[in-house]
Amino acid sequence: MPQLQQKLRPTENVPFPAIIDEKLSLQAFLHLSGTLGGYPFVKVVVDRETNKIHFMNHSVYPYHADYIAQEIFDVSLEKLFASLDDFNKSLYLDPDRRFYVGILSLHKSDEGKFFTLETVEIDNMNKEMLLSFYTRVKESLDVSLPFLFKPANHGQEMILATMNAAELPAVYNHELFRNARFICLNPGEVTGRLRLFHTLEEFRHEKQTVEWYDIIAMPRVPDDIHRVSGIINGDFTTPLSHTNVLASGWQIPNAVQIGVSERIEKENLNGHWVCYAVSPNATEIDLRKIDKPVEVPKPSWSVHRIKLEEPETEDTLIAPLEKLRMSDRFRYGTKAANLGELHYILKNGSERLLGFYRISRPPRENLLAYLADFLKTSLSADLNQVSEEFLRSFIKIPKGIAIPFAIQQEFLQSSPALQQTLGKLKMALELKARQVDALCVRVQQLIIHTRLPDRLRYQIDDLIARYLGGVKSFVVRSSSNAEDLQNFSAAGIYESINHVTTADHIFESIKKVWASLLAPRSVRFRDEVGISLDDSYMGVIIQEEIQSDMGGVMVTTNPIRREDHFRDVYFNVSCRSVNNVVQGAELPYQYLFNTVEGGGRTISLGCANEDLPPKKKALLQKLAVAGRLLQSHFSPDYTFSLPLDVEWVERKNQLFILQLRPYR
């Protein structure tokens, strides 16, 4: 390639840094490119002072700033890092900036290949800058492929809305997402037996034949899946559905691969052992047929047993959520205790709120200046106090009460038939008997049909009347001690019931929540990892149901790219029901919001025809930063790095947090 050879440095074995001020061919693009999200890309720098364009070699310079500092300014990385934030402001935010920087990517669709140009997500270029950058790059492409601008943030989307499509041809993130054929939901590699099911009915019919070492492929894997070794969805689903949260907790590969059924049938893979791999930088899943092992190895989760902290089950009263703290999880369950802790933070504050922003992030000493900018205050202010006031002004919790494990135990002990059947179930579990599922169902039926003792009924009724008087509709939620644990995800396996109105309906719902602890699926999940029936308890939350304008789930990381924990927070949003998000009943809006420099971008419109209005997105940006502050408080260690999974709804510009837990 003579064009490339001209740019070699004096020592032949040292890669050249860039192609400078020359036309970029497709061959040269591929030689320079890296891969991101399955797409090859090349970083671009336009020097407005010299009018030269630089196409960077990704293997030499993965960052724009490094290249500009060393190759254009001849400045060492040490000197760059000493003033990196100021340098970045001059690069992305200065209206009189010297450089335009961005990413040139190559995409494939059914219509063929095309290039896109996008800036860094925090870039605040105006209309004239975007046009100038696009035109300069277009002039430098020696390729007869369509060339489109891809907005990197909501601000740029608003600019494009004022422009003629012919003036700046564009493609949006959500359009690329909709046309994608592969999405990495959870990376990993595993060997197992591939099982293809074309319909949910076919899966239900064969469900009892599914083993832990199976890799399940079907249009959308249902939420009631038993533990398996891998998941392949043949249609779009959200990373935050219960199925995919389970896959993340189980640490198994999981992906969307459009057309996977046809591929499996064409390559005759169904029923055979395969190696299945999912990578965020791949363009499709990797499926390779292998020989069936002589002996199937034991799964790691069967060796590493889960240990529960000892609960308290006696002399514990029903309590309003606002009276609980995180340490009360031994009495009321994790969900109730976390909501109680959130009440405490909003009332009393926390010295941990700044943890995520306070720790060193080399080359930055910390991120406090970014938080101060977002809160519209200065570094000299009491940032902890300002953060507490921000949370109080913005976040609310639906009022509710928590029913402790002690009430569940008193109810179970009130029925000799229940006690006798529970004893049989425990024995069946010890013997690994076939009757386990049937006994689970029998215990559930007994719980639901056993009368709640009058003493307990009156006690619950009194507390509802006292703390929830005037509420028309309730949610009755599960709150167990056997959920949200390290190496054990219980997403979706316990019952929560919405739209509960009358007292009788509340008491029935409480018993259904208790019964869900004994469901065949939940019992087997726990038994697989060594959590015994004797150690598993269920508390209940009775909460005001908020009639919302929108709702969803936020995780304070990017679940599709877990290494992206530094800046972005991920949202699934529905304008119908938050339950539709977690149950995978609809394809939600998907967003990423930056909690350092600020700004967000739309990943997918889901089932909607148009994006949310700017006012709604501004609320999500605030919730993203609130999530970072809460992540710091709820962190189990002092790295403040464990993400939170937050379920929320919005009503009249007010955010209500329904539940929060670690996202593992």
Side-chain angles (χ1 to χ4, degrees):
M1 292 183 291
Q3 181 185 22
L4 301 181
Q5 295 295 335
Q6 294 174 9
K7 300 301 175 184
L8 286 174
R9 289 172 166 177
T11 305
E12 289 294 319
N13 62 349
V14 177
F16 59 93
I19 293 176
I20 302 172
D21 220 26
E22 292 188 18
K23 293 275 189 177
L24 184 72
S25 68
L26 182 57
Q27 184 183 22
F29 171 88
L30 295 173
H31 189 89
L32 295 171
S33 66
T35 304
L36 181 65
Y39 300 114
F41 74 93
V42 168
K43 285 188 166 65
V44 183
V45 175
V46 172
D47 189 340
R48 300 174 69 194
E49 185 175 294
T50 64
N51 197 34
K52 288 184 177 181
I53 187 166
H54 305 245
F55 296 104
M56 297 163 47
N57 188 331
H58 184 73
S59 67
V60 181
Y61 286 110
Y63 301 106
H64 292 103
D66 294 6
Y67 175 83
I68 292 171
Q70 293 186 277
E71 297 293 337
I72 297 179
F73 290 146
D74 195 23
V75 170
S76 69
L77 289 180
E78 290 75 17
K79 189 171 182 181
L80 168 67
F81 290 161
S83 58
L84 182 62
D85 286 338
D86 289 337
F87 185 86
N88 283 341
K89 286 179 181 178
S90 72
L91 206 56
Y92 307 124
L93 306 177
D94 188 344
D96 299 318
R97 69 192 71 174
R98 175 175 169 177
F99 301 101
Y100 294 150
V101 300
I103 297 173
L104 180 68
S105 301
L106 181 63
H107 300 261
K108 283 196 300 185
S109 70
D110 293 339
E111 288 75 37
K113 296 179 179 180
F114 61 97
F115 278 111
T116 64
L117 177 68
E118 63 182 309
T119 70
V120 175
E121 65 177 3
I122 66 170
D123 202 303
N124 68 349
M125 286 189 194
N126 59 28
K127 174 182 175 180
E128 289 70 27
M129 289 176 170
L130 293 177
L131 275 171
S132 175
F133 188 30
Y134 173 83
T135 302
R136 183 68 179 88
V137 177
K138 184 177 182 180
E139 293 170 349
S140 302
L141 288 180
D142 188 20
V143 183
S144 58
L145 292 176
F147 178 48
L148 306 172
F149 179 76
K150 184 173 76 166
N153 53 53
H154 290 138
Q156 292 180 3
E157 291 177 3
M158 294 174 67
I159 292 173
L160 285 173
T162 68
M163 299 175 68
N164 188 302
E167 190 177 8
L168 186 58
V171 63
Y172 292 81
N173 275 292
H174 63 80
E175 294 174 319
L176 294 174
F177 184 90
R178 186 176 59 221
N179 293 320
R181 298 187 63 80
F182 164 75
I183 299 170
C184 169
L185 296 174
N186 201 57
E189 182 173 344
V190 70
T191 59
R193 181 179 61 175
L194 185 60
R195 303 287 302 276
L196 172 63
F197 301 101
H198 294 91
T199 65
L200 185 58
E201 292 72 23
E202 183 183 340
F203 170 77
R204 294 273 188 258
H205 186 261
E206 298 290 329
K207 186 176 179 181
Q208 296 305 315
T209 69
V210 173
E211 301 287 351
W212 69 265
Y213 50 76
D214 283 336
I215 298 164
I216 302 301
M218 57 189 298
R220 188 180 76 80
V221 177
D223 286 349
D224 62 351
I225 189 77
H226 291 308
R227 186 187 283 268
V228 292
S229 289
I231 292 175
I232 311 172
N233 292 280
D235 205 348
F236 288 108
T237 184
T238 163
L240 299 188
S241 70
H242 282 148
T243 301
N244 297 319
V245 172
L246 285 172
S248 175
W250 293 340
Q251 299 179 357
I252 62 173
N254 182 21
V256 170
Q257 180 68 70
I258 306 300
V260 70
S261 297
E262 292 83 352
R263 176 181 172 185
I264 291 171
E265 290 175 338
K266 181 180 179 181
E267 299 179 17
N268 190 30
L269 298 175
N270 188 28
H272 291 279
W273 278 73
V274 298
C275 178
Y276 168 45
V278 176
S279 168
N281 290 325
T283 57
E284 63 180 9
I285 62 172
D286 183 13
L287 269 182
R288 290 175 285 112
K289 188 185 292 188
I290 62 173
D291 293 332
K292 179 181 177 180
V294 176
E295 184 177 347
V296 178
K298 287 186 177 181
S300 60
W301 47 262
S302 70
V303 178
H304 301 96
R305 307 278 82 183
I306 303 294
K307 298 295 184 183
L308 296 184
E309 298 170 295
E310 185 176 353
E312 293 182 15
T313 60
E314 296 181 0
D315 302 325
T316 307
L317 300 176
I318 300 170
L321 289 173
E322 61 194 51
K323 299 297 184 183
L324 304 186
R325 293 295 305 274
M326 198 156 25
S327 58
D328 287 310
R329 63 185 179 271
F330 311 119
R331 306 177 186 93
Y332 298 90
T334 305
K335 289 177 188 172
N338 285 348
L339 286 173
E341 187 72 13
L342 182 56
H343 269 290
Y344 179 86
I345 298 168
L346 297 180
K347 182 178 180 180
N348 300 291
S350 166
E351 290 299 322
R352 293 171 60 93
L353 291 180
L354 303 184
F356 175 85
Y357 290 94
R358 185 178 279 146
I359 63 176
S360 176
R361 310 241 179 211
R364 299 171 178 86
E365 182 179 351
N366 56 58
L367 302 177
L368 291 174
Y370 293 100
L371 179 61
D373 286 346
F374 176 82
L375 296 174
K376 295 181 172 55
T377 188
S378 66
L379 272 174
S380 60
D382 186 340
L383 272 182
N384 204 79
Q385 181 179 342
V386 176
S387 297
E388 292 171 359
E389 292 169 355
F390 163 68
L391 289 177
R392 290 190 194 105
S393 69
F394 181 59
I395 299 295
K396 292 196 178 301
I397 311 164
K399 55 186 177 180
I401 62 171
I403 300 175
F405 302 151
I407 300 294
Q408 177 215 19
Q409 292 303 297
E410 187 173 343
F411 168 76
L412 294 177
Q413 291 164 9
S414 71
S415 168
L418 260 174
Q419 288 298 301
Q420 184 181 36
T421 312
L422 278 170
K424 291 179 180 179
L425 175 57
K426 293 172 186 177
M427 181 65 69
L429 284 167
E430 288 183 19
L431 298 175
K432 306 296 182 185
R434 291 182 305 170
Q435 295 87 351
V436 167
D437 284 7
L439 285 167
C440 285
V441 173
R442 176 61 181 152
V443 172
Q444 287 188 285
Q445 291 173 342
L446 284 170
I447 290 173
I448 291 170
H449 293 108
T450 297
R451 176 175 172 77
L452 192 68
D454 286 344
R455 193 184 77 80
L456 298 183
R457 185 184 179 99
Y458 295 146
Q459 188 179 347
I460 294 169
D461 185 75
D462 287 347
L463 269 291
I464 294 174
R466 179 176 178 182
Y467 292 104
L468 293 168
V471 173
K472 294 181 179 180
S473 184
F474 301 85
V475 178
V476 181
R477 300 185 187 278
S478 59
S479 181
S480 175
N481 68 327
E483 62 182 335
D484 304 329
L485 305 171
Q486 182 72 39
N487 299 321
F488 181 70
S489 174
I493 70 171
Y494 302 132
E495 190 77 68
S496 288
I497 302 166
N498 303 302
H499 316 312
V500 181
T501 53
T502 66
D504 284 342
H505 195 186
I506 288 175
F507 299 135
E508 290 170 7
S509 299
I510 291 170
K511 290 192 289 182
K512 287 180 181 178
V513 170
W514 284 337
S516 69
L517 188 73
L518 283 303
R521 180 168 177 250
S522 62
V523 169
R524 287 195 179 277
F525 269 10
R526 295 192 303 270
D527 187 61
E528 286 171 346
V529 295
I531 299 175
S532 74
L533 208 55
D534 284 331
D535 294 331
S536 305
Y537 296 89
M538 180 63 76
V540 179
I541 301 168
I542 302 175
Q543 217 173 5
E544 177 185 10
E545 185 170 43
I546 303 299
Q547 303 302 315
S548 61
D549 300 320
M550 71 173 180
V553 180
M554 166 184 71
V555 292
T556 56
T557 187
N558 182 347
I560 298 177
R561 299 189 65 83
R562 286 299 191 94
E563 67 275 18
D564 180 21
H565 61 84
F566 176 35
R567 285 185 167 84
D568 286 337
V569 164
Y570 175 82
F571 283 86
N572 277 180
V573 181
S574 170
C575 290
R576 298 181 185 133
S577 167
V578 65
N579 296 314
N580 289 354
V581 172
V582 297
Q583 294 171 3
E586 71 171 271
L587 292 176
Y589 293 99
Q590 297 182 45
Y591 298 99
L592 286 172
F593 283 91
N594 186 321
T595 58
V596 180
E597 295 92 353
R601 59 190 187 275
T602 303
I603 305 301
S604 171
L605 298 184
C607 297
N609 295 319
E610 59 183 16
D611 208 347
L612 291 174
K615 190 174 182 180
K616 297 289 188 185
K617 294 175 187 172
L619 278 173
L620 298 181
Q621 176 73 78
K622 291 174 67 177
L623 182 55
V625 174
R628 284 288 191 223
L629 298 173
L630 294 176
Q631 172 182 318
S632 298
H633 178 87
F634 283 92
S635 174
D637 59 27
Y638 297 95
T639 67
F640 307 104
S641 59
L642 181 63
L644 279 184
D645 176 332
V646 181
E647 191 174 313
W648 57 273
V649 295
E650 176 260 341
R651 184 179 67 188
K652 297 180 180 178
N653 298 322
Q654 185 73 60
L655 266 294
F656 291 81
I657 290 182
L658 308 181
Q659 58 181 342
L660 69 168
R661 58 189 175 192
Y663 181 75
R664 302 184 191 276

